[in-house]
């Protein structure tokens, strides 16, 4: 099984899709309990939501499920949000805090999964970022995510529709952050927040090095914006999704604008 799927394009934008995969090897599936086998914490249908929004965009998609190993976590196991409830490199619970394993993996098994799944995904993503940067002088990673809008174990209240993460502005040029925030703020009928509960996962923080021409921004969407219901069978609502795709397309189109890329390349002005 190849753990990562890459579709190469010639745009300066790379779409990261670390949590859309649902593949779980049989031996690992056997160790999950009934709740874990539901795979509820998938970023359901995100690959479909973003499909063809930006012609020429490169996509890097993890095929494996986050319960196998989470491609958006620090491979060292360090927490992204110290002091807050979250899930780890290999989650022991789901987003509601419930156990998902009959037999949880030990350290040796986690390391094997890191080498087999996590490392190849990031090797592919790093290679595509470097390839795109060689073409354009910069690369912009737009990391695509979604999550249920109400999860008391992780956050209070109802999550905004658009959750933009730049680790407090550290992972991308201010012009990129402003484009995404402006489009989200202007999207009628939607709510948004910048660096709220989700400030950007390990992927955004790891690849976002603006001074080196590597920019990264995370978009965490509320699943209420494009699913019929935030519960099994996690049905894609085409009408909701088409409405949501309009601001998403606007974001990606503006990020790929040659005028912006020219400003962000060495010697340009942003």
């Amino acid at each position: 099984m190849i753990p990562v799927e890459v579709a190469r394009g010639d745009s300066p934008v790379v779409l990261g899709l670390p949590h859309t995969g649902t593949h779980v090897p049989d031996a690992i599936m056997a160790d999950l309990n009934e709740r874990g086998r539901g795979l509820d914490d998938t970023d359901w249908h995100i690959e479909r939501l973003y499909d063809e929004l930006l012609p020429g965009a490169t996509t890097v998609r993890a095929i494996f499920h986050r319960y196998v190993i989470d491609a958006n976590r620090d491979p060292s196991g360090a927490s992204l949000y110290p002091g807050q409830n979250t899930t780890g490199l290999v989650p022991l619970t789901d987003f509601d805090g419930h156990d998902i394993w009959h037999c949880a993996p030990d350290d040796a098994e986690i390391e094997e999964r890191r080498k087999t799944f996590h490392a190849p995904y990031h090797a592919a993503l790093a290679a595509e970022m470097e390839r795109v940067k060689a073409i354009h002088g910069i690369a912009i990673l737009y990391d695509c995510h979604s999550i249920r809008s109400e999860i008391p174990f992780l956050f209070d209240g109802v999550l905004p529709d658009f959750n933009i993460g730049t680790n407090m502005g550290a992972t991308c040029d201010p012009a990129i952050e402003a484009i995404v925030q402006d489009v989200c703020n202007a999207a009628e009928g939607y709510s948004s927040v910048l660096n709220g509960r989700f400030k950007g996962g390990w992927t955004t923080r790891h690849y976002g090095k603006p001074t080196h021409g590597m920019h990264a921004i995370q978009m965490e969407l509320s699943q209420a914006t494009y699913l019929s219901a935030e519960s099994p069978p996690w049905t894609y609502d085409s009408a909701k999704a088409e409405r949501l795709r309009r601001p998403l397309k606007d974001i990606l189109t503006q990020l790929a604008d040659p005028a912006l890329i020219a400003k962000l390349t060495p010697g340009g002005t942003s």
Side-chain angles (χ1 to χ4, degrees), residues 48-109:
R48 179 178 177 183
L49 185 69
Y50 281 93
D51 186 39
E52 297 185 353
L53 285 184
L54 180 64
T58 293
T59 61
V60 181
R61 179 177 179 241
I63 303 302
F64 53 93
H65 193 263
R66 69 189 305 158
Y67 291 170
V68 176
I69 194 164
D70 193 328
N72 197 35
R73 294 292 182 270
D74 189 326
S76 75
S79 176
L80 290 171
Y81 297 100
Q84 299 183 59
N85 287 339
T86 188
T87 52
L89 181 60
V90 173
L92 299 181
T93 71
D94 63 12
F95 287 165
D96 295 307
H98 299 296
D99 292 338
I100 58 173
W101 298 99
H102 285 307
C103 181
D106 59 18
D107 289 346
E109 171 64 16

Side-chain angles (χ1 to χ4, degrees), residues 189-209:
Y190 294 104
S191 57
S192 64
V193 66
L194 173 64
N195 292 312
R197 172 61 178 86
F198 299 100
K199 296 176 173 63
W202 184 77
T203 303
T204 305
R205 303 180 198 193
H206 179 70
Y207 291 95
K209 298 178 174 63

